[in-house]
Amino acid sequence: MDKPKVVLGVSGGIAAYKACEVLRRLTESGHDVQVVPTEASLHFVGAATWSALSGHPVSTQVWNDVHQVPHVRTGQAADLVVVAPATADLLARAAHGLADDLLTNTLLTARCPVVFAPAMHTEMWEHPATQENVATLRRRGAVVIEPAVGRLTGADTGKGRLPDPGEIFEVCRRILARGTAAPDLAGRHVVISAGGTREPLDPVRYLGNRSSGKQGYALARTAVARGARVTLIEANTGLPDPAGAEVLRAGTAAQLREAVVEAAAGADVVVMAAAVADFRPAVYATGKIKKKDGREPEPVALVRNPDILAEISADRSRPGRIVVGFAAETDDVLANGREKLRRKGCDLLVVNEVGERKTFGSEENEAVVLAADGAEVPVPFGPKEALADTVWDLVAARFG
Ligand code: C5P
């Protein structure tokens, strides 16, 4: 079988050097990559580097090998075009349909999925001109990955960093796997909670659970690849931030509730994949609880935490918002799931059985998605991403 053909566009920002790693990941995973740099980007990384790493000649303009009509062929032949980094100037030229170099020609002739990974200073990213260009590109079906927050070129920090190259590669891999399917969550804001809350008992101990956060992260990554704006609220996962997701951190159930309620106010979908502690210690000991010779420890009194899923489901102030819950069960899985769906009042409930190889910490899962309208969709044992995609299929179908 022919290798999937990827065009890697590189525009003139300092983050161009990180595109070498994106290229490496793509070629090593069996993709045929044609690098199309802009003239300005060659100030940062030279054509020799791109040519050596990709195994193809490299050109910035349409006047080389004219007999092969590269300004049309390159885009037509591609299965995916990814531009990383995409500068403010490149986004502007793409949004306005300019065709003044090989990359912009390629963007106009490509009929495959197109991904932009912008990188620039915060002011440039936030400028209404850039934001309108990004909105235009998204409206036309491109996936524009939100920049990461962190250290920028100089001493300053803010939003505008190119996301981790490995994560950009992951977005590309997922979009290629979707073939020519449109980004069906474009224009939607999804909020996902992931991980497990920890309820402090004293300065060194907490009550926690075994949730790894992998299912929530799989939901975030797949949602980015389907074009959604993603807010991921993570609790104690230690996992790398998925490219394109805004990541907020929460430790306890109370902190998670605050973050979810605030983000949910503007969301189209809320997915509660986090394992939220049902109880917390009634009293927090400000000093470490000590062993006392010959005495049994004092029992730990617990109080209930608020049920965030039930609260968001009951709040119908945002009509049309879809709320998805998760339930891990050990017995009577379906019967308990149906009862829980009714009790929590959410639109979809993903029910899974806690088992050796699935659910906590593993890469795989097996579940049944129950819907408030009575539908039941079994998801066979497989990667957590496959379950995530089924959830988004059901959500997208509800948006109609
Ligand atoms: O009741 P149970 O803990 O089994 O419900 C699981 C679902 O409810 C998950 O979606 C979880 O994120 C959510 N939940 C919550 N707040 C709690 C407990 C669970 O939102 N306090």
Side-chain angles (χ1 to χ4, degrees):
M1 231 176 69
D2 279 352
K3 290 178 173 180
K5 287 191 168 44
V6 176
V7 171
L8 172 60
V10 182
S11 56
I14 187 79
Y17 76 93
K18 295 188 190 170
C20 299
E21 180 63 21
V22 177
L23 171 57
R24 260 271 138 70
R25 301 262 182 147
L26 286 165
T27 52
E28 280 170 10
S29 55
H31 300 89
D32 179 17
V33 187
Q34 172 75 54
V35 182
V36 183
T38 63
E39 196 62 37
S41 78
L42 299 182
H43 289 294
F44 298 103
V45 180
T49 301
W50 298 126
S51 189
L53 289 178
S54 68
H56 289 295
V58 161
S59 172
T60 61
Q61 30 104 354
V62 296
W63 309 115
N64 297 330
D65 302 315
V66 176
H67 63 289
Q68 291 174 342
V69 208
H71 75 288
V72 178
R73 281 285 163 73
T74 315
Q76 279 177 338
D79 296 303
L80 177 79
V81 178
V82 50
V83 185
T87 58
D89 178 69
L90 187 280
L91 293 171
R93 289 192 290 139
H96 292 274
L98 298 192
D100 50 3
D101 61 5
L102 185 55
L103 180 54
T104 43
N105 274 272
T106 301
L107 288 167
L108 281 179
T109 50
R111 292 295 173 269
C112 58
V114 176
V115 183
F116 294 93
M120 63 198 75
H121 268 80
T122 313
E123 293 83 348
M124 296 176 89
W125 172 251
E126 288 176 348
H127 196 284
T130 305
Q131 288 301 307
E132 280 172 30
N133 291 332
V134 167
T136 300
L137 293 166
R138 283 185 173 145
R139 203 176 52 249
R140 293 191 194 131
V143 171
V144 183
I145 303 174
E146 288 286 311
V149 177
R151 179 89 191 266
L152 302 172
T153 318
D156 43 353
T157 59
K159 190 166 184 178
R161 260 173 83 86
L162 189 75
D164 178 66
E167 290 293 332
I168 295 175
F169 164 72
E170 286 296 323
V171 175
C172 295
R173 190 175 65 73
R174 268 177 208 97
I175 292 177
L176 276 163
R178 284 176 55 75
T180 51
D184 54 359
L185 295 178
R188 306 289 181 188
H189 178 200
V190 309
V191 173
I192 299 159
S193 69
T197 61
R198 291 179 182 173
E199 308 300 318
L201 192 56
D202 68 19
V204 294
R205 303 183 181 95
Y206 58 80
L207 298 181
N209 59 69
R210 294 177 54 206
S211 175
S212 65
K214 288 177 181 169
Q215 185 61 61
Y217 276 59
L219 282 154
R221 292 197 170 95
T222 46
V224 168
R226 295 170 80 137
R229 179 181 148 213
V230 178
T231 301
L232 175 64
I233 303 167
E234 71 92 25
N236 309 300
T237 64
L239 296 173
D241 292 354
E246 180 194 12
V247 184
L248 308 176
R249 313 209 186 263
T252 63
Q255 291 164 352
L256 188 76
R257 179 191 163 274
E258 200 182 316
V260 170
V261 168
E262 192 181 331
D268 301 297
V269 191
V270 178
V271 185
M272 284 296 299
V276 186
D278 291 317
F279 312 106
R280 66 179 184 278
V283 180
Y284 172 71
T286 49
K288 185 180 170 190
I289 301 168
K290 300 264 183 347
K291 290 190 280 290
K292 297 206 179 90
D293 280 347
R295 299 228 320 254
E296 288 302 313
E298 294 291 321
V300 175
L302 300 175
V303 291
R304 285 192 74 137
N305 273 331
D307 190 316
I308 309 166
L309 178 61
E311 181 180 342
I312 300 286
S313 303
D315 170 21
R316 291 291 156 189
S317 62
R318 197 167 158 80
R321 180 174 62 196
I322 296 173
V323 183
V324 184
F326 272 71
E329 302 287 340
T330 52
D331 45 83
D332 283 338
V333 176
L334 276 183
N336 282 331
R338 284 189 203 103
E339 204 277 316
K340 194 164 283 185
L341 176 71
R342 265 192 304 278
R343 189 154 37 85
K344 302 262 188 182
C346 49
D347 300 287
L348 296 170
L349 188 75
V350 183
V351 188
N352 44 28
E353 194 175 346
V354 180
E356 273 297 293
R357 287 187 306 141
K358 47 198 181 193
T359 310
F360 293 119
S362 94
E363 303 300 329
E364 284 90 18
N365 218 339
E366 181 180 353
V368 180
V369 187
L370 305 177
D373 60 15
E376 293 187 3
V377 179
V379 184
F381 183 76
K384 287 184 169 171
E385 273 188 20
L387 173 56
D389 268 320
T390 304
V391 170
W392 296 130
D393 288 345
L394 295 168
V395 165
R398 275 162 178 75
F399 284 132

